[in-house]
């Protein structure tokens, strides 16, 4: 076993010593699986005969589920509605033994995404949600909770799905009061320039391009885009995930490209949640930004080969790591 493999596997084997706070937009993901044998006589749409229905934690809750699968102890903070789907989500998390601190808003609908899947293909997605900003008093409640637990946590993940949980005020307070912690962000375009002075961001190719108005078409435009984000947000690092092109990590010192490892892509649902979960965990056990990105890239290659809002565990990750050794490239 070479030195690189020893080092990377040693980080993964330390994940169970971590406690990480996830704060962000909570969702319930519902997957309805069935088969299609005919077109409706009422309209030119497929008729799906339902075979199975599965409920999973979504959004920031899926980030917590990813951490749990890796052996990390997650703490989840966010807001849900006083409705049936909010109760279902909370019950799911309790069954998974994920500690949660929820604000319940009587005037809010719990964000729910329902996906209908037939023959391994998504037929339609139905979203039920509200996007109004969380009240300042509720943000202050969550900040008070974080203050109470800050000495016991190793990192903070901000999972922004643009549903109102993440505000400029929240980001500013987190950075000002918890600057000694690793703070990573899975960003949303509309809030992109709120995330100043965090440890790292993990936008995908489209989010990075849209936020900067720089269309990524080659290494030159990719470099220009990444450097622009680092300069504007003053983050310590940036990971741009690029689908089948892998991912590229930017720091002040260098830019490193890591190729994708997935042999076959079935479903990209939740892949970004996996990336930020693994990347943050690796940073929290002492990995460099590049090593953390290599491990996160390996995890992404696993989950896109699964159907649904998938996670990976340490055993799967340890088996995948050798596929990435010596495959990185500085640009």
């Amino acid at each position: 076993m070479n030195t690189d493999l020893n080092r990377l596997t040693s980080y993964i084997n330390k994940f169970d010593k971590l406690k990480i706070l996830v704060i962000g937009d909570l969702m319930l993901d519902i997957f309805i699986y069935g088969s299609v044998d005919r077109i409706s006589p009422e309209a030119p749409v497929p008729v799906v005969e339902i075979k199975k229905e599965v409920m999973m934690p979504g959004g920031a809750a899926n980030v917590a589920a990813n951490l749990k699968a890796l052996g990390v102890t997650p703490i989840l903070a966010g807001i849900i509605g006083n409705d049936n789907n909010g109760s279902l989500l909370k019950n799911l998390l309790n069954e998974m033994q994920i500690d949660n601190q929820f604000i319940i808003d009587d005037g809010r609908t719990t964000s729910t995404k329902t996906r209908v899947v037939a023959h391994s293909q998504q037929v339609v997605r139905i979203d039920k949600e509200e996007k109004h900003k969380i009240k300042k008093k509720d943000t202050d409640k969550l900040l008070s909770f974080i203050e109470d637990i800050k000495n016991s946590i190793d990192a903070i993940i901000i999972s922004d799905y643009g549903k109102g949980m993440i505000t400029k005020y929240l980001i500013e307070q987190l950075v000002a009061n918890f600057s000694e912690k690793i703070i990573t962000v899975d960003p949303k375009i509309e809030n992109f320039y709120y995330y100043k002075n965090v440890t790292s961001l993990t936008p995908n190719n489209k989010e990075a391009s849209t936020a900067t108005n720089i269309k990524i078409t080659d290494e030159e435009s990719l470099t220009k885009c990444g450097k622009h984000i680092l300069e504007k947000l003053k983050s310590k690092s940036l990971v741009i995930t690029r689908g089948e092109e892998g991912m590229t990590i930017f720091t002040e010192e260098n830019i490193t490209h890591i190729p994708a490892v997935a042999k076959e892509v079935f479903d990209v649902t939740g892949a970004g949640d996996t990336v930020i979960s693994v990347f943050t965990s690796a940073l929290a056990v002492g990995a460099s930004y590049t090593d953390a990105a290599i491990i996160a890239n390996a995890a992404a290659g696993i989950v896109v080969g699964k159907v649904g809002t998938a996670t990976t565990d340490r055993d799967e990750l340890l088996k995948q790591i050798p596929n990435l050794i010596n495959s990185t490239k500085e640009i």
Side-chain angles (χ1 to χ4, degrees):
M1 186 182 289
N2 64 36
T3 303
D4 288 342
L5 188 55
N6 274 323
R7 185 177 69 250
L8 296 177
T9 55
S10 73
Y11 295 138
I12 296 167
N13 285 325
K14 294 176 185 175
F15 285 176
D16 62 355
K17 302 182 186 304
L18 296 173
K19 183 179 285 188
I20 294 179
L21 171 69
V22 181
I23 183 167
D25 296 298
L26 305 171
M27 301 179 196
L28 178 68
D29 279 352
I30 301 174
F31 290 85
I32 298 173
Y33 297 97
S35 60
V36 174
D37 297 312
R38 60 194 177 96
I39 300 298
S40 172
E42 303 164 1
V45 295
V47 176
V48 180
E49 184 179 343
I50 297 173
K51 305 292 186 182
K52 182 175 66 171
E53 185 172 332
V54 178
M55 289 183 290
M56 298 179 180
N62 185 48
V63 176
N66 271 270
L67 292 171
K68 185 73 175 180
L70 293 166
V72 177
T73 299
I75 303 174
L76 181 60
I79 190 165
I80 58 176
N82 186 15
D83 53 21
N84 185 57
N85 285 351
S87 298
L88 289 171
L89 176 58
K90 194 168 179 66
N91 289 340
L92 277 174
L93 293 165
N94 289 338
E95 288 171 8
M96 297 171 70
Q97 298 183 317
I98 293 176
D99 189 12
N100 50 79
Q101 177 70 28
F102 291 166
I103 302 295
I104 298 177
D105 185 343
D106 288 338
R108 195 178 195 92
T109 298
T110 301
S111 293
T112 305
K113 293 182 179 179
T114 303
R115 298 172 177 88
V116 179
V117 181
H119 309 293
S120 299
Q121 295 291 321
Q122 192 174 136
V123 177
V124 66
R125 193 182 89 183
I126 304 160
D127 291 2
K128 183 180 180 182
E129 62 188 16
E130 293 173 26
K131 299 181 181 179
H132 59 268
K133 297 291 185 183
I134 184 174
K135 301 180 183 74
K136 182 178 179 295
K137 66 180 180 66
D138 290 333
T139 299
D140 286 335
K141 285 181 187 177
L142 289 174
L143 288 168
S144 177
F145 166 71
I146 299 169
E147 180 67 36
D148 290 341
I149 66 168
K150 73 175 183 180
N151 293 331
S152 67
I153 59 174
D154 299 288
I156 299 171
I157 295 174
I158 299 169
S159 179
D160 190 355
Y161 273 79
K163 311 305 180 189
M165 180 67 227
I166 307 304
T167 62
K168 184 178 181 182
Y169 172 70
L170 173 63
I171 299 291
E172 289 174 346
Q173 293 300 307
L174 287 173
V175 170
N177 297 318
F178 308 100
S179 58
E180 74 281 7
K181 300 293 181 184
I182 292 167
I183 302 176
T184 58
V185 182
D186 189 356
K188 202 68 177 175
I189 293 168
E190 51 263 42
N191 294 336
F192 208 91
Y193 289 98
Y194 291 172
Y195 317 119
K196 292 183 178 178
N197 301 304
V198 299
T199 306
S200 193
L201 299 95
T202 61
N204 61 33
N205 211 65
K206 181 180 178 182
E207 290 164 341
S209 292
T210 304
T212 58
N213 289 318
I214 299 171
K215 187 175 181 180
I216 298 174
T217 56
D218 52 22
E219 286 189 0
E220 183 179 353
S221 55
L222 173 66
T223 299
K224 183 179 179 181
C225 180
K227 285 184 175 180
H228 177 84
I229 293 171
L230 279 183
E231 181 183 343
K232 287 290 184 181
L233 297 185
K234 310 297 182 188
S235 62
K236 295 175 183 175
S237 69
L238 167 73
V239 177
I240 298 180
T241 59
R242 303 170 59 209
E244 62 184 18
E245 298 295 323
M247 60 176 63
T248 302
I249 180 161
F250 297 78
T251 65
E252 288 186 2
E253 293 76 28
N254 51 46
I255 303 168
T256 305
H257 178 61
I258 306 166
V261 293
K263 293 182 174 63
E264 193 168 7
V265 176
F266 284 101
D267 195 340
V268 297
T269 305
D273 298 334
T274 299
V275 168
I276 197 164
S277 301
V278 177
F279 180 70
T280 307
S281 298
L283 290 181
V285 295
S288 67
Y289 295 117
T290 300
D291 280 352
I294 289 171
I295 299 170
N297 193 46
I302 295 168
V303 298
V304 297
K306 302 178 180 181
V307 176
T309 310
T311 62
T312 186
D313 58 31
R314 283 185 294 171
D315 289 341
E316 286 180 317
L317 197 47
L318 289 167
K319 290 177 183 176
Q320 182 77 298
I321 287 297
N323 297 325
L324 281 174
I325 297 299
N326 300 323
S327 63
T328 62
K329 181 185 75 167
E330 288 198 9
I331 60 175

